[in-house]
Amino acid sequence: MKRFAGTLISLSLLVLAVSQAQTGAMLADAFPTASAQAFHSIKVTRSGSQQPSKGPAEYFTGSVQIEPLFPAHDPSRASGGKVTFEPGARSAWHTHPLGQTLIVTDGTGWIQQWGGPIKEIRKGDVIWIPAEVKNWHGATPNTAMTHVAIQEELNGKAVEWMEKVTDEQYRK
């Protein structure tokens, strides 16, 4: 009986080894410019290693810092960044072709959908903005706010920028 069990285990290990070798060969054939191991390597981007930049004045009002967190990696279309709005700072009106998720990591801010009321957002809140919904978001007049923004690209584009939010719209 022990001999039978040993033979069965040996055969199982052999089948597993052949299967893994075939999978590796298929990946190497499918991705000839990179080894199967390199294709499946985990990438770690260290905190603070991405240089933040000032939010462009054509898309933001006030002081805004944008730190890229990750680009879209094929086959994924999702990218993300950390955005910090100083008090009174805000985005222009905009849409996202496939929607956007915001995760507030610090402070208090506001978000508004075109034609809707301004809503307060706070640290820990997760906000889903559906595809093509015109909106803006930013800090309150007296409190800074930081969020992580995650969105998908459609045909290489993740956002459609529109007109700036006026002071009157912001104070409603």
Side-chain angles (χ1 to χ4, degrees):
M1 185 57 120
K2 286 183 183 179
R3 193 176 210 174
F4 177 71
T7 303
L8 188 58
I9 291 171
S10 295
L11 283 173
S12 296
L13 290 174
L14 180 61
V15 169
L16 179 62
V18 169
S19 174
Q20 287 178 337
Q22 287 175 338
T23 301
M26 288 187 328
L27 284 172
D29 290 342
F31 304 98
T33 59
S35 72
Q37 186 176 10
F39 178 74
H40 290 289
S41 294
I42 293 172
K43 179 182 178 187
V44 176
T45 303
R46 297 288 175 209
S47 176
S49 67
Q50 306 281 28
Q51 291 300 314
S53 61
K54 184 176 165 81
E58 62 189 303
Y59 305 135
F60 297 95
T61 298
S63 180
V64 177
Q65 288 290 316
I66 302 170
E67 180 182 345
L69 294 177
F70 59 92
H73 295 284
D74 282 338
S76 172
R77 299 181 291 187
S79 63
K82 182 170 93 172
V83 185
T84 300
F85 297 85
E86 292 302 317
R90 58 200 179 265
S91 71
W93 289 101
H94 62 282
T95 63
H96 296 276
L98 297 174
Q100 182 181 52
T101 298
L102 303 177
I103 304 165
V104 181
T105 59
D106 198 30
T108 304
W110 287 342
I111 187 165
Q112 183 179 25
Q113 176 175 331
W114 185 259
I118 292 175
K119 295 180 181 182
E120 185 175 277
I121 55 178
R122 296 179 296 274
K123 181 178 180 175
D125 289 349
V126 177
I127 300 95
W128 166 243
I129 304 161
E132 301 300 340
V133 170
K134 186 174 179 177
N135 74 96
W136 68 267
H137 36 94
T140 65
N142 301 311
T143 309
M145 187 268 296
T146 300
H147 65 56
V148 170
I150 303 168
Q151 55 280 318
E152 289 186 87
E153 297 176 1
L154 181 62
N155 300 320
K157 194 170 187 177
V159 62
E160 177 71 34
W161 291 105
M162 299 168 181
E163 72 274 14
K164 284 191 163 192
V165 174
T166 65
D167 289 341
E168 182 180 297
Q169 291 170 322
Y170 178 72
R171 290 194 169 85
K172 279 188 175 181

